Amino acid sequence: MTHMIRKSKSKTVRVLADVYASIEGPAVGPLDAFYGRLSRYVHEDPETTPASSLEDAASRLFTDLFPIVYRTVAVAADRPDGGASEFDEDYVQCLAGKALDVKPFGDVPYTLAKDISRTFSATNVLVHALRYGGQLVDEEHSRSWLGYGNREQCSAALTKMRQCSWCDGKDAKPCHGLCVNVIRGCLARETAHLDAPWTGYYEAVDRLVSAINNGQSSVCLEDLLRSLHSRISEAIMYAMNHASDIQNNVSRILRIIH
């Protein structure tokens, strides 16, 4: 999974370098932060890390890309030499803060954020379900249910429970209390180590089923990662095609601010 995320990032960087050469360099930082967040999320506990954090990461990517795209695409049209204008840090922060109002990338940031959140959420649950399942199997193989740590005591207790009446020439069943104590000591106590991983596995599978029933896994993770470069490129192309509208919106917002 980490390998697929790295491949997706490399593909995105190559597309930017080939199609939007002036954007590729400054965009490396936002892309690093975005893909790094995806990689970390897969290994985080789904109970303590909300999927909304991925929506925030996707939104942040386009917020950080806006000043870069605006500088190199929209404003470049005003330069006779076709070069990009330089913005000071305050202006960059101002642009980033108004990205939601300007909507320079159309609906791509919103739809992509939702797809990422749903798909990675279901994948994260699956990863943890498999992890708990593996832990459960390891625990079961590494221990013996009967007599783990007290084989002699269990053997003696089982012998006493079942054989003592035979020693007296009788075939009487042992009393209920004795049976319960022996079973509790030899079985229940020895399977207690499975309680935590089994509970975790059950809860993880339950979350996975809920995610599937709620339609959170409608997009395959592999398909999503393979499409990220084209969807990010689509967003940038949208900004290029609407450069004049973006400039007008930015100018209007700046007039209101000042």
Side-chain angles (χ1 to χ4, degrees), residues 174-212:
C175 67
H176 175 74
L178 178 60
C179 289
V180 170
N181 287 336
V182 171
I183 295 301
R184 181 182 294 121
C186 290
L187 293 182
R189 186 173 61 187
E190 300 310 327
T191 57
H193 63 279
L194 296 176
D195 182 64
W198 179 257
T199 299
Y201 180 65
Y202 171 81
E203 292 175 349
V205 171
D206 185 61
R207 289 194 299 270
L208 177 60
V209 172
S210 297
I212 293 174

Side-chain angles (χ1 to χ4, degrees), residues 70-120:
Y70 184 70
R71 178 176 59 238
T72 59
V73 176
V75 180
D78 296 333
R79 291 278 300 273
D81 59 359
S85 297
E86 293 299 326
F87 298 158
D88 61 34
E89 186 60 28
D90 290 339
Y91 192 67
V92 169
Q93 293 301 320
C94 179
L95 285 174
K98 296 301 178 180
L100 290 178
D101 298 326
V102 177
K103 292 190 67 175
F105 303 110
D107 293 329
V108 175
Y110 174 79
T111 57
L112 183 58
K114 290 298 183 183
D115 285 345
I116 288 174
S117 176
R118 287 193 297 265
T119 304
F120 270 82

Side-chain angles (χ1 to χ4, degrees), residues 12-25:
T12 301
V13 172
R14 286 199 304 271
V15 168
L16 293 186
D18 293 341
V19 183
Y20 315 100
S22 59
I23 296 175
E24 182 260 339

Side-chain angles (χ1 to χ4, degrees), residues 76-178:
D78 296 333
R79 291 278 300 273
D81 59 359
S85 297
E86 293 299 326
F87 298 158
D88 61 34
E89 186 60 28
D90 290 339
Y91 192 67
V92 169
Q93 293 301 320
C94 179
L95 285 174
K98 296 301 178 180
L100 290 178
D101 298 326
V102 177
K103 292 190 67 175
F105 303 110
D107 293 329
V108 175
Y110 174 79
T111 57
L112 183 58
K114 290 298 183 183
D115 285 345
I116 288 174
S117 176
R118 287 193 297 265
T119 304
F120 270 82
S121 177
T123 301
N124 179 274
V125 171
L126 174 60
V127 168
H128 279 76
L130 295 175
R131 183 175 300 165
Y132 279 123
Q135 182 181 354
L136 185 63
V137 171
D138 289 342
E139 289 284 346
E140 188 170 343
H141 278 288
S142 64
R143 299 175 184 244
S144 170
W145 279 18
L146 184 59
Y148 174 77
N150 62 346
R151 180 181 299 275
E152 293 182 0
Q153 295 94 322
C154 278
S155 296
L158 287 170
T159 300
K160 180 179 179 181
M161 180 184 75
R162 191 69 186 93
Q163 306 293 338
C164 282
S165 61
W166 291 356
C167 294
D168 293 334
K170 303 174 183 178
D171 190 17
K173 294 182 179 180
C175 67
H176 175 74
L178 178 60

